[in-house]
Amino acid sequence: MNKSIAIAFIVAGIILLIFGLNSADSAASSVSEAVTGAPTDRSIWLIILGVAGLVVGGVSLFLKRKT
């Protein structure tokens, strides 16, 4: 994977993670958490995708392919 694509994955992962954490702290998520005991599905998916983007970008950035 190209270095610029790996950096793009890392940046996208950070952005998704920030949006997910902000969404988890929102009023709608607080109400949902009070009723169901869990934050909203949207915030959970944003956090999961953010972590996945960070992992994919980090692994591809630091692993070198042998050609």
Side-chain angles (χ1 to χ4, degrees), residues 35-58:
V35 173
T36 64
T40 60
D41 290 340
R42 179 177 179 236
S43 60
I44 292 173
W45 278 110
L46 286 171
I47 292 170
I48 290 171
L49 291 174
V51 170
L54 284 172
V55 169
V56 168

Side-chain angles (χ1 to χ4, degrees), residues 8-57:
F9 268 107
I10 291 172
V11 170
I14 291 171
I15 291 170
L16 286 172
L17 195 56
I18 289 170
F19 279 133
L21 292 174
N22 285 339
S23 176
D25 287 335
S26 70
S29 184
S30 297
V31 170
S32 174
E33 192 171 351
V35 173
T36 64
T40 60
D41 290 340
R42 179 177 179 236
S43 60
I44 292 173
W45 278 110
L46 286 171
I47 292 170
I48 290 171
L49 291 174
V51 170
L54 284 172
V55 169
V56 168

Side-chain angles (χ1 to χ4, degrees), residues 1-13 49-63:
M1 187 180 284
N2 196 357
K3 216 176 208 185
S4 60
I5 296 173
I7 292 172
F9 268 107
I10 291 172
V11 170
L49 291 174
V51 170
L54 284 172
V55 169
V56 168
V59 167
S60 63
L61 186 65
F62 294 112
L63 287 181

